[in-house]
Amino acid sequence: MGLKNDKFPSSAAFEAINSALQSSEADRKDAIKQGNAVFAFTLKNKAGETESWHIDLKEKGTVGSGTGNKPTVTLSLSDEDFGKLVSGQANAQRLFMSGKLKIKGDVMKATKMQPILGKAQTKAKL
């Protein structure tokens, strides 16, 4: 089962992040060192449906569906805004300040997310 869900167009970014993490052992170890957390994402599409994915940068350096095992931080936002965030068209702080991004858990860890999303920018075609 792939990570992409057709009902959530920006979910292709999770496959891109996963392939970036799997393509280089050094990159994966670096991402784990930088992140040191499990990041969960809950996206809401235009139909009002929600779906979750997680990026484990605590132990394995993998991406999976669902919120994962005890996420350090959970980010909730719309599928559209997540796509903009990954593509660099939106700023996480602005989304948070405008109420479009909700964060549960360790807010400081959420700030470590941008370089990891940057890995998807180069690979994802959103």
Side-chain angles (χ1 to χ4, degrees), residues 83-115:
K84 289 177 184 173
L85 190 62
V86 172
S87 65
Q89 296 170 4
N91 174 295
Q93 281 180 307
R94 281 203 195 102
L95 289 175
F96 179 72
M97 295 298 184
S98 64
K100 292 180 177 179
L101 168 63
K102 293 180 177 49
I103 300 172
K104 280 188 204 147
D106 189 338
V107 176
M108 291 313 293
K109 285 290 183 192
T111 63
K112 305 267 189 218
M113 214 41 243
Q114 202 56 49

Side-chain angles (χ1 to χ4, degrees), residues 8-64:
F8 297 84
S10 70
S11 65
F14 293 109
E15 287 195 343
I17 294 167
N18 195 41
S19 66
L21 289 169
Q22 303 311 315
S23 65
S24 160
E25 184 70 18
D27 277 359
R28 194 167 60 91
K29 285 184 175 167
D30 186 49
I32 291 171
K33 192 171 142 189
Q34 282 181 24
N36 191 27
V38 176
F39 299 92
F41 294 86
T42 300
L43 305 182
K44 188 173 193 170
N45 67 11
K46 284 187 166 74
E49 301 167 312
T50 58
E51 192 67 53
S52 297
W53 290 265
H54 68 278
I55 303 173
D56 179 347
L57 295 179
K58 199 170 191 99
E59 295 164 14
K60 299 184 201 102
T62 56
V63 182

